[in-house]
Amino acid sequence: MAALAAVLVVCVTLAASLAHGSADGDPTWPGWGFTHTQYSADDGEPEAVATITDALKAASPMVQAQHIMGWGVDNPEPEPGRFNFGDLDLRMDFIKRTGGIPVIVLCCAPDWMKGGESGETDWDNLEGAPLPEHFDDFAELSSRVAERYPYVRHFVVWNEFKGFFDDDRKRWRAEEYTDLYNKVYNAVKAVNPQNKVGGPYLDFATWPLSSPDAAAELQGPWGAVDQRVLDAFSYWNQHKEGADFVVVDGHATTTTGAADEFAALDEFGAVGAWLRKQTDLPIWWSEWYVDPASLEFSSEHQVALRVAAMIELASTGAQTVFYWNPYPKGPDCAICLWTDTWAPDGGQPLPFLTEVIDRFVRSFPPDAERRKVPVADGLVALESGRALLIVNTTDAPISATVHRQHVELSPYEVKWVTLPQWIGVLDWVEDTLPG
């Protein structure tokens, strides 16, 4: 029996290693990370910046995204042909110094490309789209960015179709966005064919089922996705000249029909399933948000809701997921990644970075099989290899058996469990042997 068990352990290990293979083609791709926003960790008191720099270097490598204008970065080309990459250089250097895997978001456009004054920057019009006659200019700027940071391999074109909504026809100008996308795609690929480019970075906005814009093909108890979003995605998907991954985002709230804030998370899975029917490209979630009312919840409740959302994304085909980094308002911020780098003793890594995102990187990378585990009511659980994550979604303690492990969870507790090797053997036997 001991010899048989040893053989089974070897078989399980071998089978797991053969099954793994990142959808991105890179087995080191972490799949999880965050987007730098206006106030990030690269600026502040030197000691605080050094503290969070060291913490990120010590953590698992994470994907880190940065826009080329806005969100902490100045206008990269205030006048035609006059470039200003100082702020972007600082952010990209921070990503390199912390061991991050960089992603550049090619948004937004200088004012002169949007009909504004050359040499001026109107930050109130940051989200304006470039005019069609300047699409080539934006593509040229994108190629300059790709040339300046030759170590960057992943580029996202634009952000949430900003500026591309037709107020007269009440629909997205998908034709214009796709024209811009194709020009940028070709420009970035011309710099290096190994560069990976994706879009369309659409917000899969939802409505109540009674809304005239509710999509019949993508709805559930949580509401319905806006049909105009599906139309825009389909147009881009059919007319793009190429893509290496698909980028979307979404908001799961109770305002569109979900029974509660945890039930609303089913929207993420439904969108993922719909996308899988449209494309076999890797799916990226560039932003994801839960019910805004959650900020009034207890710290434990806030974290449980976001971890449950990450479980939903991980178990329904998301290859890469970015956390939109919130501005740290204090050391007690349950959903922040680090403390304010301008505060005394700032730059301290917070549990949402060390115990959530970092552990997701290590436990649930895209090259590992990630699956939900059947659990008692009120619990959600995700399993991958020897890692098991369980979330209590209720305000009461729960005692249960999860994946052959007895667990006790306090209200809204998030529990990580290391599974013994014999559980993997039993799983393999049940999944492999007949009967």
Side-chain angles (χ1 to χ4, degrees):
M1 291 296 293
L4 177 59
V7 171
L8 287 174
V9 168
V10 172
C11 290
V12 169
T13 303
L14 179 60
S17 66
L18 291 175
H20 292 181
S22 172
D24 193 67
D26 180 0
T28 65
W29 185 255
W32 303 90
F34 57 89
T35 297
H36 289 278
T37 50
Q38 183 175 357
Y39 302 102
S40 197
D42 62 315
D43 195 19
E45 296 294 335
E47 290 185 3
V49 172
T51 296
I52 188 57
T53 297
D54 290 342
L56 287 170
K57 288 171 63 176
S60 306
M62 300 176 189
V63 189
Q64 298 184 35
Q66 175 61 50
H67 292 66
I68 65 170
M69 179 176 174
W71 295 278
V73 170
D74 203 356
N75 190 331
E77 192 179 2
E79 299 178 25
R82 182 170 73 85
F83 299 98
N84 171 32
F85 290 120
D87 287 343
L88 188 55
D89 284 347
L90 291 175
R91 280 283 170 91
M92 299 308 297
D93 179 65
F94 181 81
I95 293 173
K96 286 185 67 176
R97 287 189 291 115
T98 55
I101 298 175
V103 171
I104 288 181
V105 182
L106 297 168
C107 182
C108 292
D111 289 49
W112 60 272
M113 296 186 191
K114 300 179 286 194
E117 292 293 327
S118 176
E120 300 292 329
T121 301
D122 179 4
W123 290 107
D124 290 335
N125 192 34
L126 172 64
E127 298 183 357
L131 300 173
E133 56 264 33
H134 288 295
F135 284 0
D136 286 330
D137 294 317
F138 188 77
E140 173 62 24
L141 172 60
S142 299
S143 71
R144 289 267 186 167
V145 170
E147 290 171 350
R148 189 172 186 85
Y149 310 105
Y151 55 89
V152 178
R153 281 292 168 269
H154 295 81
F155 299 84
V156 177
V157 181
W158 211 243
N159 174 311
E160 290 187 330
F161 266 45
K162 294 186 188 310
F164 285 100
F165 189 77
D166 189 321
D167 290 319
D168 294 329
R169 294 186 290 175
K170 304 300 181 185
R171 72 172 185 87
W172 294 105
R173 300 197 305 274
E175 302 86 351
E176 285 189 19
Y177 168 79
T178 304
D179 187 19
L180 174 68
Y181 172 88
N182 285 335
K183 289 178 182 293
V184 173
Y185 174 87
N186 289 321
V188 173
K189 287 286 190 177
V191 173
N192 187 337
Q194 298 303 310
N195 287 339
K196 297 180 182 295
V197 183
Y201 200 152
L202 264 169
D203 176 6
F204 273 62
T206 55
W207 297 99
L209 294 175
S210 59
S211 169
D213 294 312
E217 63 179 301
L218 185 47
Q219 59 179 242
W222 42 267
V225 170
D226 191 322
Q227 181 62 51
R228 296 168 297 181
V229 172
L230 302 190
D231 294 341
F233 180 91
S234 297
Y235 183 91
W236 170 82
N237 197 33
Q238 293 168 15
H239 295 89
K240 67 184 185 303
E241 294 190 8
D244 298 292
F245 50 90
V246 167
V247 189
V248 299
D249 70 42
H251 301 66
T253 75
T254 56
T255 60
T256 56
D260 59 59
E261 67 275 15
F262 287 97
L265 304 180
D266 290 344
E267 173 198 336
F268 293 144
V271 171
W274 185 86
L275 290 170
R276 266 290 146 254
K277 295 177 182 178
Q278 317 305 314
T279 180
D280 59 359
L281 293 174
I283 296 171
W284 288 25
W285 285 80
S286 53
E287 302 175 45
W288 53 275
Y289 302 98
V290 296
D291 202 318
S294 69
L295 295 177
E296 302 172 3
F297 298 158
S298 68
S299 295
E300 294 80 8
H301 195 163
Q302 292 182 51
V303 173
L305 180 58
R306 285 156 181 80
V307 173
M310 294 173 73
I311 287 176
E312 185 68 21
L313 293 168
S315 63
T316 54
Q319 187 238 26
T320 301
V321 181
F322 292 100
Y323 185 65
W324 192 264
N325 182 29
Y327 178 64
K329 297 178 175 61
D332 297 328
C333 179
I335 58 172
C336 296
L337 302 183
W338 50 76
T339 59
D340 188 355
T341 52
W342 287 102
D345 195 31
Q348 301 294 328
L350 292 172
F352 203 89
L353 175 68
T354 59
E355 291 301 312
V356 177
I357 295 182
D358 185 35
R359 293 196 70 162
F360 263 81
V361 169
R362 290 183 279 118
S363 302
F364 306 118
D367 65 333
E369 182 181 359
R370 304 174 296 192
R371 59 183 180 180
K372 280 186 175 179
V373 177
V375 289
D377 290 344
L379 301 181
V380 293
L382 182 68
E383 183 267 336
S384 175
R386 296 180 66 186
L388 173 65
L389 173 62
I390 313 167
V391 179
N392 182 353
T393 67
T394 76
D395 59 0
I398 294 179
S399 176
T401 298
V402 181
H403 205 52
R404 303 186 178 93
Q405 300 291 293
H406 179 75
V407 293
E408 304 276 349
L409 289 97
S410 57
Y412 300 116
E413 182 179 0
V414 174
K415 182 184 289 290
W416 292 87
V417 178
T418 299
L419 296 175
Q421 187 71 40
W422 63 265
I423 288 184
V425 173
L426 288 180
D427 289 344
W428 182 85
V429 170
E430 290 182 354
D431 293 341
T432 305
L433 298 183

